[in-house]
Amino acid sequence: MSRRVVRQSKFRHVFGQPVKADQMYEDIRVSKVTWDSGFCAVNPKFVAIIVESGGGGAFMVLPLHKTGRVDKNIPLVTGHTAPVLDIDWCPHNDNVLASASEDTTVMVWQIPDYIPTRNMTEPVVTLEGHSKRVGILTWHPTARNILLSAGGDNVIILWNVGTGEALLTLDDLHTDLIYNVCWNYNGSLFVTTCKDKHLRIIDPRKRLVVAEKSRPHEGSRPVRAIFLADGKVFTTGFSKMSERQLALWDLKNFEEPIALQEMDTSNGVLLPFYDPDSSIVYLCGKGDSSIRYFEITDEAPYVHYLSTYSSKEPQRGMGYMPKRGLDVSKCEIARFYKLHERKCEPITMTVPRKSDLFQDDLYPDTPGPEPALEADEWLSGKDAEPILISLRDGYVPVKNRELKVTKKNILDSRPPVGPRRSQSTCDTNFSRSAFEELLEEIKSLRQTVQAHEKRISDLENKLCQFTNGTD
């Protein structure tokens, strides 16, 4: 008799477990907006959740340790005038969060380490450039202060949050609604999926689609795509028969997937979450009550099913903790924040180990909070891998670092030439063209004033004639 050989993997027995009831976040009115984002963003300090709110858009930010029943009068972040659709924590500053809304704006917030006493209404910077609602946000993985936003106007904008300006606007690469955007490991490319049924690999600095695949999945429902650390692309979508599928693509040959698996006939879009350190992809469907996870390897069949975490209640949204926020002493390799209708439930994914020592094989060095590049270095063509840190002694979040926004002088973006003029000569270094424009405007206004004065004088003369006649 032939024996079936079971593939060896240290992640074969990973199991999911919800936390105890007192460690959940209770009494939260989770947003009911129909949009396929996670509605939840977490980092080693905070959990942020998009919530229902009257007359505008709001989200709630709680320190991780603030578990239990949430006070119904807790201050919210309420700067948007329409529902919030997506939120994302900055990977290089745990106190900075970006939010995107139906009101067409993106706002960037400085979240204090303490819970404020009143609603936060003033963002550090408001980014305005989209003409329709903004539904997708994602920070650059290695460059400081670069934020990508995608809107219902089919436009992708890359912002420098440190100056409050748009670095790049990609407005002619997509013909329909963009479903999702994901950076590659070093932030040199990103992948997008779109309602026009095309998957695109884009080099933003060259404004070019470097690879494209029409209908990566045959079905008409939304497709999701993420970059893996080795440059391959993982997608989830639907077959012609509306079965949910996952696929793995090698950019060297984009014709056929190197792996394709069918899963079930549920209609919820599968949101993929990826851990580059362990090469595990977790699939969470909106409306599902399960999380499936798969290990990606270099040998066929490439995508190996590991297990499924199942619960009774469906998920309204999902947040995913970065590796540096996990408890290494408990061999925790992932943590999800599952949104129910009225609560947020953390779920831990653990590798069973008997030893209490640090497990080097489970925790290779992982991306830390320091950016590898400045925004202008990246824009000029430079790339860099993330700066890695060790989790051997656990990770301690850094204290509140303030985001400083320095807006450039719109009148003159060039540095002043020649010796500096004295204060009495002129307060501002105008460019020659701006100076001439101002002179022209003053001249035009003077002519208008003179014309008005002449008209007033004529009318007064007429008035005198009338009054003389009346006498």
Side-chain angles (χ1 to χ4, degrees), residues 9-16 278 280 282 328-334 348-355 359 361-363:
S9 167
K10 59 191 168 207
F11 302 114
R12 232 179 78 211
H13 300 293
V14 170
F15 65 97
S278 60
I280 294 179
Y282 302 86
V328 296
S329 66
K330 293 180 179 167
C331 296
E332 182 185 23
I333 61 161
T348 62
M349 297 284 177
T350 310
V351 177
R353 292 274 167 101
K354 286 178 181 168
S355 168
Q359 307 293 312
D361 60 328
L362 296 183
Y363 301 105

Side-chain angles (χ1 to χ4, degrees), residues 264-276:
D264 56 26
T265 52
S266 181
N267 60 3
V269 174
L270 287 165
L271 307 180
F273 296 93
Y274 171 63
D275 175 14

Side-chain angles (χ1 to χ4, degrees), residues 33-39 85-86 133 135-136 179-180 221-224 238 267-271 285-287 316:
V33 174
T34 52
W35 183 251
D36 286 327
S37 77
F39 288 176
L85 300 178
D86 199 13
R133 67 181 183 173
I136 296 168
Y179 285 141
N180 93 298
R221 309 260 353 264
V223 171
R224 291 264 157 170
F238 294 79
N267 60 3
V269 174
L270 287 165
L271 307 180
K286 268 204 159 181
R316 293 280 293 275

Side-chain angles (χ1 to χ4, degrees), residues 398-429:
V398 246
K399 283 256 177 357
N400 189 349
R401 287 188 303 183
E402 200 170 329
L403 170 67
K404 287 187 169 58
V405 177
T406 316
K407 296 212 173 184
K408 291 186 178 172
N409 183 349
I410 298 162
L411 291 173
D412 187 12
S413 54
R414 300 174 302 174
V417 180
R420 186 176 173 143
R421 287 175 288 174
S422 69
Q423 191 71 18
S424 59
T425 315
C426 192
D427 281 341
T428 315
N429 287 313

Side-chain angles (χ1 to χ4, degrees), residues 140 142-143 146 158 167-170 173 183-184 186-190 202-208 210 373-384:
H140 193 284
T142 62
I146 292 183
L158 275 77
L167 291 177
L168 296 164
T169 301
L170 309 175
L173 300 182
W183 291 99
N184 67 350
N186 69 356
S188 57
L189 304 169
F190 56 77
I202 293 171
D203 183 330
R205 290 167 296 192
K206 292 180 181 167
R207 301 166 188 267
L208 275 180
V210 295
L373 292 171
E374 295 300 325
D376 50 0
E377 290 180 298
W378 178 82
L379 191 62
S380 67
K382 205 170 169 187
D383 288 319

Side-chain angles (χ1 to χ4, degrees), residues 55-212:
F59 57 91
M60 168 189 293
V61 180
L62 297 168
L64 278 191
H65 60 81
K66 192 81 179 156
T67 54
R69 192 171 296 281
V70 175
D71 184 348
K72 68 175 186 297
N73 296 317
I74 194 165
L76 303 175
V77 184
T78 59
H80 288 286
T81 57
V84 177
L85 300 178
D86 199 13
I87 47 177
D88 196 27
W89 287 104
C90 175
H92 307 127
N93 187 337
D94 286 340
N95 292 79
V96 171
L97 177 71
S99 59
S101 166
E102 281 191 15
D103 66 11
T104 75
T105 66
V106 174
M107 292 183 177
V108 181
W109 305 85
Q110 177 89 33
I111 306 296
D113 285 337
Y114 57 88
I115 294 180
T117 53
R118 55 171 68 93
N119 284 356
M120 288 182 67
T121 56
E122 291 297 320
V124 180
V125 64
T126 301
L127 306 172
E128 296 174 317
H130 288 282
S131 59
K132 291 187 178 173
R133 67 181 183 173
V134 189
I136 296 168
L137 284 179
T138 175
W139 291 88
H140 193 284
T142 62
R144 189 195 307 273
N145 287 344
I146 292 183
L147 175 66
L148 179 152
S149 65
D153 48 9
N154 314 335
V155 173
I156 287 176
I157 303 179
L158 275 77
W159 307 90
N160 181 347
V161 172
T163 60
E165 63 180 4
L167 291 177
L168 296 164
T169 301
L170 309 175
D171 54 5
D172 55 355
L173 300 182
H174 297 87
T175 61
D176 212 329
L177 182 68
I178 299 161
Y179 285 141
N180 93 298
V181 182
C182 178
W183 291 99
N184 67 350
Y185 192 61
N186 69 356
S188 57
L189 304 169
F190 56 77
V191 59
T192 68
T193 58
C194 180
K195 198 175 180 180
D196 64 10
K197 300 183 173 57
H198 283 251
L199 180 146
R200 297 171 174 87
I201 309 295
I202 293 171
D203 183 330
R205 290 167 296 192
K206 292 180 181 167
R207 301 166 188 267
L208 275 180
V209 176
V210 295
E212 191 167 2

